[in-house]
Amino acid sequence: MNISNNLLLIDLKKLDELKSQVIEIIDQKRTVLEDIARYLYENPELGSEEFKAFEKLTSVLEEHGFTIEKGVYDMPTAFVARSSGKKDVPKVAVIAEYDALPGVGHGCGHNLISAAAIGAGIASGAVVDDLFGEILVVGTPAEEGRGPSGGSKIIMANNGFWDDIAGVIMLHPGNAWSVGGQALGISGLSFEFKGQTSHAAASPHMGRNALNAATLAYTATHMVRQEARRDANLVIHGIISEGGLASNIIPDKAVLNLGVRSSEEQYLDEMVERLAKCGEGAAHAMEVEVEITKRKGYKSKKLNIPLIKTLWGNYLELDAPVKDWKESISAIPLASTDFGDVSQRCPAAGSNIGVTPAGTPGHSTLLADATVTKKGLDAMIIGAKALGMTLVELLVKLEILDEAKEYFDSH
Ligand SMILES: [Zn+2]
Ligand SMILES: [Zn+2]
């Protein structure tokens, strides 16, 4: 046996011990973590106003020795908690979300995201003294996109926050267990058509109908679907939000708003350009003016296979009923998240924990209530362990972070 094999064996033995410690600490802290999940459930706060959650999470992290930067990038309810080992690089991070939804409270289950992230952070932070690197728990408000901190991960991305993080992980509650699911990037596209009003019966020839242009553009954008790449999960959805004032006046203004989504970032940008031409063409045909506004929303998720495999392996070690990661990475993505923007900046892996029966809708009181049942809390504990074990594994087997970076750079 050569030296490197020998070293590897020592490392792996040490890794097993550290993982056992993480599991033990999370079991010991179960009441603290359940308390976080219940407290947030009972005190749901909308995006950018998560002051109670912020107070709760940061105080628990402080009690467990984390150094906390509060209100980062002028977002009052965002935080970065750090726990350093023998060095402060490489940095690995777990993300907490804690915003609720109007009417359905924690109908997206972000209370469990928080509890699991705090659990993973304090358990891995407790053993970080043995490791070379730094563990971060990043508090990202307003994931649902409300208020000035809306899409906080994008604000952080634009400030370069994620650029020196070697690996970032998180979980989200749902109906099933999986690691590595895709997410759709989303862009907004608005067309404001401007024509000329005229009496619709007496002098239609003197009018230029903006609504007709909007209708033509709407129809054209939907015809583009036929030529969409089937592997890129293109979704086009839209409304005509303004279309005239009275039926006897030819409308001089009409507004068409589209949402465009795809699981591939570059393709999404290409399709936004292509769909913009539908508006230009319609305006040309109807002899009206058009003003086109493009808005970048959440980015699609860039998958990082080395990180996904590592996180998945830890769920398996815990006997979680997690789907094969290969199945998850090719499953049709349904929604968009600002975690996508993180994944475009540094290696990232997301996971889902099963807290509700199959078919339960997201953004519902059914999901909110499930987060505080025994099944929901048990799932959160398993998730916290898998995340904590992964943070530790990444700082022990640094070669995974190298592979993750290489994968990130080449995809
Ligand atoms: Zn949601
Ligand atoms: Zn969510």
PDB file of all heavy atoms in Angstrom, residues 270-284:
ATOM      1  N   GLU A 270     -31.756  33.075 -25.760  1.00  0.00           N
ATOM      2  CA  GLU A 270     -32.000  33.016 -27.212  1.00  0.00           C
ATOM      3  C   GLU A 270     -33.487  33.120 -27.520  1.00  0.00           C
ATOM      4  O   GLU A 270     -33.895  33.814 -28.449  1.00  0.00           O
ATOM      5  CB  GLU A 270     -31.521  31.660 -27.771  1.00  0.00           C
ATOM      6  CG  GLU A 270     -30.050  31.569 -28.061  1.00  0.00           C
ATOM      7  CD  GLU A 270     -29.661  30.121 -28.364  1.00  0.00           C
ATOM      8  OE1 GLU A 270     -30.486  29.358 -28.913  1.00  0.00           O
ATOM      9  OE2 GLU A 270     -28.524  29.743 -28.025  1.00  0.00           O
ATOM     10  N   MET A 271     -34.299  32.413 -26.746  1.00  0.00           N
ATOM     11  CA  MET A 271     -35.741  32.397 -27.016  1.00  0.00           C
ATOM     12  C   MET A 271     -36.391  33.740 -26.688  1.00  0.00           C
ATOM     13  O   MET A 271     -37.347  34.132 -27.353  1.00  0.00           O
ATOM     14  CB  MET A 271     -36.423  31.251 -26.259  1.00  0.00           C
ATOM     15  CG  MET A 271     -36.055  29.872 -26.763  1.00  0.00           C
ATOM     16  SD  MET A 271     -36.071  29.715 -28.573  1.00  0.00           S
ATOM     17  CE  MET A 271     -37.814  29.597 -28.920  1.00  0.00           C
ATOM     18  N   VAL A 272     -35.871  34.426 -25.693  1.00  0.00           N
ATOM     19  CA  VAL A 272     -36.395  35.765 -25.389  1.00  0.00           C
ATOM     20  C   VAL A 272     -36.164  36.676 -26.600  1.00  0.00           C
ATOM     21  O   VAL A 272     -37.051  37.413 -27.030  1.00  0.00           O
ATOM     22  CB  VAL A 272     -35.743  36.330 -24.107  1.00  0.00           C
ATOM     23  CG1 VAL A 272     -35.999  37.823 -23.974  1.00  0.00           C
ATOM     24  CG2 VAL A 272     -36.266  35.586 -22.876  1.00  0.00           C
ATOM     25  N   GLU A 273     -34.975  36.580 -27.198  1.00  0.00           N
ATOM     26  CA  GLU A 273     -34.684  37.375 -28.403  1.00  0.00           C
ATOM     27  C   GLU A 273     -35.622  36.994 -29.539  1.00  0.00           C
ATOM     28  O   GLU A 273     -36.133  37.840 -30.268  1.00  0.00           O
ATOM     29  CB  GLU A 273     -33.222  37.161 -28.848  1.00  0.00           C
ATOM     30  CG  GLU A 273     -32.186  37.743 -27.903  1.00  0.00           C
ATOM     31  CD  GLU A 273     -32.453  39.192 -27.537  1.00  0.00           C
ATOM     32  OE1 GLU A 273     -32.778  39.985 -28.439  1.00  0.00           O
ATOM     33  OE2 GLU A 273     -32.360  39.530 -26.335  1.00  0.00           O
ATOM     34  N   ARG A 274     -35.836  35.700 -29.685  1.00  0.00           N
ATOM     35  CA  ARG A 274     -36.690  35.225 -30.786  1.00  0.00           C
ATOM     36  C   ARG A 274     -38.135  35.699 -30.592  1.00  0.00           C
ATOM     37  O   ARG A 274     -38.795  36.137 -31.532  1.00  0.00           O
ATOM     38  CB  ARG A 274     -36.623  33.694 -30.842  1.00  0.00           C
ATOM     39  CG  ARG A 274     -37.564  33.141 -31.857  1.00  0.00           C
ATOM     40  CD  ARG A 274     -36.987  32.044 -32.718  1.00  0.00           C
ATOM     41  NE  ARG A 274     -37.942  31.785 -33.790  1.00  0.00           N
ATOM     42  CZ  ARG A 274     -38.314  30.576 -34.165  1.00  0.00           C
ATOM     43  NH1 ARG A 274     -37.776  29.512 -33.597  1.00  0.00           N
ATOM     44  NH2 ARG A 274     -39.185  30.421 -35.135  1.00  0.00           N
ATOM     45  N   LEU A 275     -38.625  35.606 -29.360  1.00  0.00           N
ATOM     46  CA  LEU A 275     -40.010  36.008 -29.091  1.00  0.00           C
ATOM     47  C   LEU A 275     -40.181  37.521 -29.234  1.00  0.00           C
ATOM     48  O   LEU A 275     -41.251  37.998 -29.609  1.00  0.00           O
ATOM     49  CB  LEU A 275     -40.439  35.540 -27.700  1.00  0.00           C
ATOM     50  CG  LEU A 275     -40.516  34.011 -27.552  1.00  0.00           C
ATOM     51  CD1 LEU A 275     -40.721  33.621 -26.100  1.00  0.00           C
ATOM     52  CD2 LEU A 275     -41.638  33.443 -28.410  1.00  0.00           C
ATOM     53  N   ALA A 276     -39.111  38.263 -28.968  1.00  0.00           N
ATOM     54  CA  ALA A 276     -39.175  39.715 -29.150  1.00  0.00           C
ATOM     55  C   ALA A 276     -39.489  40.050 -30.613  1.00  0.00           C
ATOM     56  O   ALA A 276     -40.208  40.997 -30.920  1.00  0.00           O
ATOM     57  CB  ALA A 276     -37.863  40.355 -28.716  1.00  0.00           C
ATOM     58  N   LYS A 277     -38.980  39.215 -31.518  1.00  0.00           N
ATOM     59  CA  LYS A 277     -39.232  39.435 -32.948  1.00  0.00           C
ATOM     60  C   LYS A 277     -40.716  39.291 -33.286  1.00  0.00           C
ATOM     61  O   LYS A 277     -41.200  39.907 -34.237  1.00  0.00           O
ATOM     62  CB  LYS A 277     -38.426  38.434 -33.784  1.00  0.00           C
ATOM     63  CG  LYS A 277     -36.951  38.734 -33.792  1.00  0.00           C
ATOM     64  CD  LYS A 277     -36.205  37.732 -34.633  1.00  0.00           C
ATOM     65  CE  LYS A 277     -34.709  37.913 -34.455  1.00  0.00           C
ATOM     66  NZ  LYS A 277     -33.967  36.730 -34.832  1.00  0.00           N
ATOM     67  N   CYS A 278     -41.419  38.465 -32.521  1.00  0.00           N
ATOM     68  CA  CYS A 278     -42.867  38.311 -32.745  1.00  0.00           C
ATOM     69  C   CYS A 278     -43.550  39.655 -32.528  1.00  0.00           C
ATOM     70  O   CYS A 278     -44.497  40.005 -33.238  1.00  0.00           O
ATOM     71  CB  CYS A 278     -43.464  37.276 -31.788  1.00  0.00           C
ATOM     72  SG  CYS A 278     -42.803  35.621 -32.015  1.00  0.00           S
ATOM     73  N   GLY A 279     -43.074  40.402 -31.515  1.00  0.00           N
ATOM     74  CA  GLY A 279     -43.646  41.721 -31.251  1.00  0.00           C
ATOM     75  C   GLY A 279     -43.277  42.722 -32.332  1.00  0.00           C
ATOM     76  O   GLY A 279     -44.112  43.498 -32.797  1.00  0.00           O
ATOM     77  N   GLU A 280     -42.014  42.665 -32.765  1.00  0.00           N
ATOM     78  CA  GLU A 280     -41.561  43.586 -33.820  1.00  0.00           C
ATOM     79  C   GLU A 280     -42.330  43.329 -35.106  1.00  0.00           C
ATOM     80  O   GLU A 280     -42.786  44.256 -35.784  1.00  0.00           O
ATOM     81  CB  GLU A 280     -40.059  43.388 -34.081  1.00  0.00           C
ATOM     82  CG  GLU A 280     -39.175  43.909 -32.956  1.00  0.00           C
ATOM     83  CD  GLU A 280     -37.753  43.345 -33.039  1.00  0.00           C
ATOM     84  OE1 GLU A 280     -37.377  42.760 -34.082  1.00  0.00           O
ATOM     85  OE2 GLU A 280     -37.022  43.481 -32.034  1.00  0.00           O
ATOM     86  N   GLY A 281     -42.483  42.041 -35.447  1.00  0.00           N
ATOM     87  CA  GLY A 281     -43.180  41.665 -36.681  1.00  0.00           C
ATOM     88  C   GLY A 281     -44.639  42.091 -36.646  1.00  0.00           C
ATOM     89  O   GLY A 281     -45.168  42.614 -37.637  1.00  0.00           O
ATOM     90  N   ALA A 282     -45.276  41.881 -35.496  1.00  0.00           N
ATOM     91  CA  ALA A 282     -46.694  42.232 -35.364  1.00  0.00           C
ATOM     92  C   ALA A 282     -46.871  43.743 -35.483  1.00  0.00           C
ATOM     93  O   ALA A 282     -47.815  44.224 -36.134  1.00  0.00           O
ATOM     94  CB  ALA A 282     -47.222  41.722 -34.021  1.00  0.00           C
ATOM     95  N   ALA A 283     -45.960  44.472 -34.859  1.00  0.00           N
ATOM     96  CA  ALA A 283     -46.040  45.938 -34.931  1.00  0.00           C
ATOM     97  C   ALA A 283     -45.876  46.403 -36.377  1.00  0.00           C
ATOM     98  O   ALA A 283     -46.606  47.273 -36.863  1.00  0.00           O
ATOM     99  CB  ALA A 283     -44.958  46.559 -34.050  1.00  0.00           C
ATOM    100  N   HIS A 284     -44.928  45.791 -37.070  1.00  0.00           N
ATOM    101  CA  HIS A 284     -44.682  46.132 -38.476  1.00  0.00           C
ATOM    102  C   HIS A 284     -45.937  45.859 -39.309  1.00  0.00           C
ATOM    103  O   HIS A 284     -46.372  46.694 -40.113  1.00  0.00           O
ATOM    104  CB  HIS A 284     -43.491  45.311 -38.980  1.00  0.00           C
ATOM    105  CG  HIS A 284     -43.093  45.623 -40.377  1.00  0.00           C
ATOM    106  ND1 HIS A 284     -42.515  46.824 -40.720  1.00  0.00           N
ATOM    107  CD2 HIS A 284     -43.210  44.897 -41.517  1.00  0.00           C
ATOM    108  CE1 HIS A 284     -42.280  46.822 -42.031  1.00  0.00           C
ATOM    109  NE2 HIS A 284     -42.700  45.666 -42.536  1.00  0.00           N
TER     110      HIS A 284
END
